[in-house]
Structure formats: structure tokens, C-alpha cells
Coordinates of all heavy atoms in Angstrom, one line a residue:
M1 N 169.8 90.6 90.5 CA 168.6 90.4 89.8 C 168.2 91.7 89.0 O 168.3 92.7 89.5 CB 167.4 90.1 90.8 CG 166.1 89.9 90.2 SD 165.2 88.4 90.2 CE 165.6 87.4 91.5
A2 N 167.9 91.4 87.8 CA 167.5 92.5 86.9 C 166.1 93.1 87.2 O 165.3 92.3 87.6 CB 167.7 92.1 85.5
T3 N 165.9 94.4 86.8 CA 164.6 94.9 87.0 C 164.0 95.2 85.7 O 164.6 95.1 84.6 CB 164.8 96.3 87.7 OG1 165.5 97.2 86.9 CG2 165.5 96.1 89.1
K4 N 162.7 95.6 85.8 CA 162.0 95.9 84.5 C 162.7 97.1 83.7 O 162.9 97.0 82.5 CB 160.5 96.3 84.8 CG 159.8 96.8 83.7 CD 158.4 97.4 84.1 CE 158.0 98.5 83.2 NZ 156.9 99.3 83.7
E5 N 163.2 98.1 84.5 CA 163.9 99.2 83.9 C 165.1 98.8 83.2 O 165.5 99.3 82.2 CB 164.1 100.3 85.0 CG 162.9 101.0 85.5 CD 162.0 100.1 86.4 OE1 162.5 99.2 87.1 OE2 160.8 100.4 86.5
D6 N 165.8 97.8 83.8 CA 167.1 97.3 83.2 C 166.7 96.7 81.8 O 167.4 96.9 80.8 CB 167.7 96.2 84.0 CG 168.3 96.7 85.3 OD1 168.7 97.8 85.4 OD2 168.2 95.9 86.3
F7 N 165.6 95.9 81.7 CA 165.2 95.4 80.5 C 164.7 96.3 79.5 O 164.9 96.1 78.3 CB 164.2 94.2 80.8 CG 164.9 92.9 81.3 CD1 164.6 92.5 82.5 CD2 165.9 92.3 80.5 CE1 165.2 91.3 83.0 CE2 166.5 91.1 81.0 CZ 166.2 90.7 82.3
V8 N 164.1 97.4 79.9 CA 163.6 98.4 79.0 C 164.8 99.0 78.2 O 164.8 99.1 77.0 CB 162.9 99.5 79.7 CG1 162.7 100.8 78.9 CG2 161.5 99.1 80.3
L9 N 165.9 99.2 79.0 CA 167.1 99.8 78.4 C 167.7 98.7 77.4 O 168.2 99.1 76.3 CB 168.1 100.2 79.5 CG 167.7 101.4 80.3 CD1 168.7 101.5 81.5 CD2 167.5 102.6 79.5
Q10 N 167.8 97.5 77.9 CA 168.4 96.4 77.1 C 167.6 96.2 75.8 O 168.2 95.9 74.7 CB 168.5 95.1 77.9 CG 169.6 95.2 79.0 CD 169.7 94.0 79.8 OE1 169.7 92.9 79.3 NE2 169.9 94.2 81.1
L11 N 166.3 96.3 75.9 CA 165.4 96.1 74.6 C 165.7 97.2 73.7 O 165.7 97.0 72.5 CB 163.9 96.0 75.0 CG 163.5 94.7 75.7 CD1 162.1 94.8 76.2 CD2 163.6 93.6 74.6
A12 N 165.8 98.5 74.2 CA 166.1 99.6 73.4 C 167.5 99.4 72.7 O 167.7 99.6 71.5 CB 166.1 100.9 74.1
D13 N 168.5 98.9 73.4 CA 169.8 98.6 72.8 C 169.7 97.5 71.8 O 170.4 97.6 70.7 CB 170.8 98.1 73.9 CG 171.3 99.2 74.8 OD1 171.0 100.4 74.5 OD2 171.8 98.9 75.8
L14 N 168.9 96.5 72.0 CA 168.6 95.4 71.0 C 168.1 96.0 69.8 O 168.5 95.7 68.6 CB 167.7 94.4 71.6 CG 167.5 93.1 70.9 CD1 168.8 92.3 70.8 CD2 166.4 92.2 71.5
R15 N 167.1 96.8 69.8 CA 166.4 97.5 68.7 C 167.4 98.4 67.9 O 167.4 98.4 66.7 CB 165.2 98.4 69.2 CG 164.6 99.1 68.1 CD 163.6 100.2 68.6 NE 164.5 101.2 69.3 CZ 164.0 101.9 70.3 NH1 162.8 101.8 70.7 NH2 164.8 102.7 71.0
D16 N 168.2 99.1 68.7 CA 169.2 100.0 68.1 C 170.4 99.4 67.6 O 171.3 100.1 66.9 CB 169.5 101.1 69.1 CG 168.3 102.0 69.5 OD1 167.3 102.0 68.8 OD2 168.4 102.6 70.6
G17 N 170.6 98.1 67.8 CA 171.7 97.4 67.2 C 173.0 97.5 68.1 O 174.0 97.1 67.6
K18 N 172.8 98.0 69.3 CA 173.9 98.1 70.2 C 174.4 96.8 70.7 O 175.5 96.5 71.1 CB 173.6 99.1 71.3 CG 173.5 100.5 70.9 CD 173.2 101.4 72.0 CE 173.0 102.9 71.6 NZ 172.6 103.8 72.7
I19 N 173.4 95.8 70.8 CA 173.7 94.5 71.2 C 173.0 93.6 70.2 O 171.9 94.0 69.6 CB 173.2 94.1 72.7 CG1 171.7 94.4 72.8 CG2 174.0 94.9 73.7 CD1 171.2 93.9 74.2
E20 N 173.5 92.4 70.0 CA 172.9 91.5 69.0 C 171.9 90.6 69.6 O 171.0 90.0 68.9 CB 174.0 90.7 68.3 CG 174.9 91.5 67.4 CD 175.9 90.7 66.6 OE1 175.7 89.4 66.5 OE2 176.9 91.2 66.2
E21 N 172.1 90.3 70.9 CA 171.2 89.3 71.6 C 171.0 89.7 73.0 O 171.9 90.3 73.7 CB 171.9 88.0 71.5 CG 171.2 86.8 72.2 CD 171.9 85.5 72.1 OE1 172.8 85.2 72.9 OE2 171.6 84.8 71.1
L22 N 169.9 89.4 73.5 CA 169.6 89.6 74.9 C 169.2 88.2 75.6 O 168.4 87.5 75.1 CB 168.3 90.5 75.1 CG 167.7 90.8 76.4 CD1 168.8 91.3 77.4 CD2 166.6 91.7 76.4
L23 N 170.0 87.9 76.6 CA 169.8 86.6 77.2 C 169.1 86.8 78.5 O 169.5 87.6 79.4 CB 171.2 86.0 77.5 CG 171.3 84.7 78.3 CD1 170.6 83.6 77.5 CD2 172.6 84.2 78.6
V24 N 168.0 86.1 78.7 CA 167.2 86.2 79.9 C 167.2 84.9 80.6 O 166.9 83.8 80.1 CB 165.7 86.6 79.5 CG1 164.8 86.7 80.8 CG2 165.6 87.9 78.7
E25 N 167.6 85.0 81.9 CA 167.7 83.8 82.7 C 166.3 83.7 83.4 O 165.6 84.6 83.6 CB 168.8 84.1 83.8 CG 170.2 84.3 83.4 CD 170.8 83.0 82.9 OE1 170.3 81.9 83.1 OE2 171.8 83.1 82.1
P26 N 166.0 82.4 83.8 CA 164.7 82.1 84.4 C 164.3 83.0 85.5 O 163.2 83.4 85.7 CB 164.8 80.7 84.9 CG 165.9 80.1 84.0 CD 166.8 81.2 83.7
D27 N 165.3 83.4 86.4 CA 164.9 84.1 87.6 C 164.6 85.6 87.3 O 164.2 86.4 88.1 CB 166.0 84.0 88.7 CG 167.4 84.4 88.2 OD1 167.6 84.5 87.0 OD2 168.2 84.7 89.1
N28 N 165.0 86.1 86.0 CA 164.7 87.4 85.6 C 163.5 87.5 84.6 O 163.2 88.6 84.1 CB 165.9 88.0 84.9 CG 167.0 88.3 85.9 OD1 166.8 88.7 87.1 ND2 168.3 88.0 85.5
F29 N 162.9 86.4 84.4 CA 161.9 86.4 83.3 C 160.7 87.3 83.5 O 160.2 88.0 82.6 CB 161.4 85.0 83.0 CG 160.4 85.0 81.9 CD1 160.8 85.0 80.6 CD2 159.0 84.8 82.2 CE1 159.9 85.0 79.6 CE2 158.1 84.8 81.1 CZ 158.5 84.9 79.8
M30 N 160.2 87.3 84.8 CA 159.0 88.2 85.1 C 159.3 89.7 84.9 O 158.6 90.4 84.3 CB 158.5 87.9 86.5 CG 157.9 86.5 86.6 SD 156.7 86.1 85.4 CE 155.4 87.2 85.7
A31 N 160.5 90.1 85.2 CA 160.9 91.5 85.0 C 161.0 91.8 83.5 O 160.6 92.8 83.0 CB 162.2 91.8 85.7
F32 N 161.6 90.8 82.8 CA 161.7 91.0 81.3 C 160.4 91.0 80.7 O 160.1 91.9 79.8 CB 162.5 89.8 80.7 CG 162.4 89.8 79.2 CD1 163.1 90.6 78.5 CD2 161.5 89.0 78.6 CE1 163.0 90.6 77.1 CE2 161.3 88.9 77.2 CZ 162.1 89.8 76.4
Q33 N 159.5 90.1 81.1 CA 158.1 90.1 80.6 C 157.4 91.4 80.7 O 156.7 91.8 79.8 CB 157.3 88.9 81.2 CG 156.0 88.6 80.5 CD 156.2 88.0 79.1 OE1 157.3 87.6 78.7 NE2 155.1 88.1 78.4
Q34 N 157.5 92.1 81.9 CA 156.9 93.4 82.0 C 157.4 94.4 81.0 O 156.6 95.1 80.5 CB 157.1 93.8 83.5 CG 156.4 93.1 84.5 CD 156.8 93.6 85.9 OE1 157.8 94.1 86.1 NE2 155.9 93.2 86.9
A35 N 158.7 94.4 80.8 CA 159.2 95.4 79.9 C 158.8 95.0 78.5 O 158.5 95.9 77.6 CB 160.8 95.4 80.0
Y36 N 158.8 93.7 78.2 CA 158.5 93.2 76.8 C 157.1 93.6 76.4 O 156.8 94.1 75.3 CB 158.7 91.7 76.8 CG 158.3 91.1 75.5 CD1 159.1 91.2 74.3 CD2 157.1 90.4 75.4 CE1 158.6 90.6 73.1 CE2 156.7 89.8 74.2 CZ 157.4 89.9 73.1 OH 157.1 89.3 71.9
R37 N 156.1 93.4 77.4 CA 154.7 93.7 77.1 C 154.5 95.2 76.8 O 153.6 95.5 76.1 CB 153.9 93.3 78.3 CG 153.5 91.8 78.2 CD 152.4 91.5 79.2 NE 152.9 90.5 80.1 CZ 152.7 90.4 81.3 NH1 151.9 91.3 82.0 NH2 153.2 89.4 82.1
E38 N 155.3 96.1 77.4 CA 155.1 97.5 77.2 C 155.9 98.0 76.0 O 155.7 99.2 75.6 CB 155.6 98.2 78.4 CG 154.7 98.0 79.7 CD 155.2 98.6 80.9 OE1 156.1 99.4 80.8 OE2 154.6 98.3 82.0
S39 N 156.7 97.2 75.3 CA 157.5 97.6 74.2 C 156.6 97.8 73.0 O 155.8 96.9 72.7 CB 158.5 96.5 74.0 OG 159.2 96.8 72.7
S40 N 156.8 98.9 72.3 CA 156.0 99.2 71.1 C 156.6 98.3 69.9 O 156.0 98.3 68.9 CB 156.1 100.7 70.7 OG 157.4 101.1 70.5
F41 N 157.7 97.7 70.0 CA 158.3 97.0 68.9 C 158.5 95.5 69.2 O 159.3 94.8 68.6 CB 159.7 97.6 68.5 CG 160.6 97.8 69.7 CD1 161.5 96.7 70.1 CD2 160.7 98.9 70.4 CE1 162.4 96.9 71.1 CE2 161.5 99.1 71.5 CZ 162.4 98.1 71.9
R42 N 157.6 95.0 70.2 CA 157.7 93.6 70.5 C 157.5 92.6 69.4 O 158.0 91.5 69.5 CB 156.9 93.3 71.7 CG 155.4 93.3 71.5 CD 154.7 92.9 72.8 NE 153.2 93.0 72.6 CZ 152.5 93.9 73.1 NH1 153.0 94.8 74.0 NH2 151.2 94.0 72.8
S43 N 156.7 93.0 68.4 CA 156.4 92.1 67.3 C 157.8 91.8 66.5 O 157.8 90.9 65.7 CB 155.3 92.6 66.4 OG 155.7 93.8 65.8
Q44 N 158.7 92.6 66.7 CA 160.0 92.5 66.0 C 161.0 91.8 66.8 O 162.2 91.7 66.4 CB 160.6 93.9 65.5 CG 159.6 94.6 64.6 CD 160.1 96.0 64.3 OE1 159.8 96.9 65.1 NE2 160.7 96.2 63.2
I45 N 160.7 91.3 67.9 CA 161.6 90.6 68.8 C 161.2 89.1 68.8 O 160.1 88.8 69.0 CB 161.6 91.1 70.2 CG1 162.0 92.6 70.2 CG2 162.4 90.3 71.2 CD1 161.7 93.3 71.5
E46 N 162.2 88.3 68.6 CA 161.9 86.8 68.6 C 162.8 86.2 69.6 O 164.0 86.5 69.8 CB 162.1 86.2 67.2 CG 163.4 86.3 66.6 CD 163.5 85.7 65.2 OE1 162.5 85.5 64.6 OE2 164.6 85.4 64.7
G47 N 162.2 85.2 70.3 CA 163.0 84.5 71.3 C 163.2 83.0 71.0 O 162.4 82.4 70.2
Q48 N 164.3 82.5 71.4 CA 164.6 81.1 71.2 C 165.0 80.5 72.5 O 165.9 81.0 73.2 CB 165.7 80.9 70.2 CG 166.1 79.5 69.9 CD 167.2 79.4 68.9 OE1 167.9 80.4 68.5 NE2 167.4 78.2 68.4
A49 N 164.3 79.4 72.9 CA 164.6 78.7 74.2 C 166.0 78.1 74.2 O 166.4 77.6 73.2 CB 163.6 77.7 74.5
G50 N 166.7 78.2 75.3 CA 168.0 77.6 75.4 C 168.0 76.6 76.6 O 166.9 76.3 77.2
R51 N 169.1 76.1 76.9 CA 169.2 75.1 78.1 C 169.0 75.8 79.3 O 169.4 76.9 79.6 CB 170.6 74.5 78.0 CG 170.8 73.6 76.8 CD 172.2 72.9 76.9 NE 172.4 72.1 75.8 CZ 172.6 70.8 75.9 NH1 172.6 70.2 77.1 NH2 172.7 70.0 74.8
G52 N 168.5 75.1 80.3 CA 168.3 75.6 81.7 C 167.3 76.7 81.8 O 167.3 77.4 82.8
G53 N 166.4 76.8 80.8 CA 165.4 77.8 80.9 C 165.7 79.2 80.4 O 165.0 80.2 80.6
Q54 N 167.0 79.3 79.9 CA 167.4 80.6 79.3 C 166.6 80.9 78.0 O 166.3 79.9 77.3 CB 168.9 80.5 78.9 CG 169.8 80.4 80.2 CD 171.3 80.3 79.7 OE1 171.5 79.9 78.6 NE2 172.1 80.7 80.6
I55 N 166.4 82.1 77.7 CA 165.8 82.5 76.5 C 166.7 83.5 75.8 O 167.1 84.5 76.4 CB 164.4 83.0 76.6 CG1 163.5 82.0 77.4 CG2 163.7 83.3 75.3 CD1 162.2 82.5 77.8
H56 N 167.0 83.3 74.5 CA 167.8 84.2 73.7 C 166.9 85.0 72.9 O 166.1 84.5 72.1 CB 168.8 83.5 72.8 CG 169.7 82.6 73.6 ND1 170.9 82.9 74.0 CD2 169.5 81.3 74.2 CE1 171.5 81.9 74.7 NE2 170.6 81.0 74.8
Y57 N 166.9 86.4 73.0 CA 166.0 87.2 72.2 C 166.9 88.0 71.2 O 168.0 88.5 71.5 CB 165.3 88.3 73.1 CG 164.2 87.6 74.0 CD1 164.4 87.2 75.2 CD2 163.0 87.4 73.4 CE1 163.5 86.6 76.0 CE2 162.0 86.7 74.1 CZ 162.2 86.3 75.4 OH 161.3 85.7 76.2
R58 N 166.4 88.1 70.0 CA 167.0 88.9 68.9 C 166.0 89.8 68.3 O 164.8 89.5 68.3 CB 167.6 87.9 67.9 CG 168.8 87.1 68.5 CD 169.3 86.1 67.4 NE 170.3 85.3 68.0 CZ 170.0 84.1 68.6 NH1 168.8 83.7 68.7 NH2 171.0 83.4 69.1
F59 N 166.5 90.8 67.7 CA 165.6 91.8 66.9 C 165.6 91.4 65.5 O 166.6 91.2 64.8 CB 166.2 93.2 67.1 CG 165.3 94.3 66.6 CD1 164.2 94.7 67.3 CD2 165.4 94.9 65.4 CE1 163.3 95.6 66.9 CE2 164.6 95.9 64.9 CZ 163.5 96.2 65.7
K60 N 164.4 91.1 65.0 CA 164.2 90.7 63.6 C 164.4 91.9 62.7 O 163.8 92.9 62.9 CB 162.8 90.1 63.3 CG 162.6 88.8 64.1 CD 161.3 88.2 63.6 CE 160.1 89.0 64.1 NZ 158.8 88.4 63.8
T61 N 165.2 91.7 61.7 CA 165.3 92.8 60.6 C 164.9 92.1 59.3 O 165.6 91.2 58.8 CB 166.7 93.3 60.5 OG1 167.7 92.2 60.4 CG2 167.1 94.1 61.8
D62 N 163.8 92.5 58.8 CA 163.2 91.8 57.6 C 164.0 92.1 56.4 O 164.7 92.8 56.0 CB 161.8 92.2 57.4 CG 160.9 91.7 58.6 OD1 161.3 90.6 59.1 OD2 160.0 92.3 58.9

């Protein structure tokens, strides 16, 4: 199970272009949500629902 700190690092990697997508499984959503709420760049992250409750997050580049 992932932790909030894991998602803080993954969100930074998403912002920095080290990863193109962040996949969040339903059982990790609450830990992700904590990291997401504290992120200063959350308005640039968009999520898309997938099958089975998965959510795919990507960093928007305008």
C-alpha cells in the first residue's frame, strides 16, 4: 500500500516530466488525496477515471 509520502514524490515526478502518468488504485486513493491536496500545482493535474476505480492522473501542459 502506498503512503502519502510516496505520492508526494510521484506527483513531483509527474510535474518534472519524469513520468507521463500516475495511476492510482482505489485502495491507495486516500493517501493520494492527502498528497494532492497539499500540492501547490494541483490545478495543473487532471484525472481520468478508468475501469475498476482506477484513476489516471496527468500533468497539463498548456
Side-chain angles (χ1 to χ4, degrees):
M1 175 117 26
T3 66
K4 174 188 149 191
E5 290 75 22
D6 295 330
F7 284 117
V8 167
L9 295 173
Q10 291 178 41
L11 285 169
D13 286 347
L14 189 64
R15 178 196 60 210
D16 296 340
K18 293 179 182 178
I19 58 174
E20 291 184 23
E21 179 179 89
L22 174 56
L23 177 64
V24 178
E25 298 288 344
D27 58 341
N28 289 324
F29 182 75
M30 292 309 293
F32 169 79
Q33 191 65 16
Q34 290 174 339
Y36 175 79
R37 275 193 237 143
E38 294 177 8
S39 171
S40 61
F41 52 89
R42 71 175 174 249
S43 64
Q44 295 173 282
I45 299 170
E46 60 184 18
Q48 181 178 12
R51 291 181 179 243
Q54 296 176 335
I55 305 175
H56 303 262
Y57 290 95
R58 294 179 186 87
F59 192 74
K60 293 189 293 185
T61 54
D62 295 327

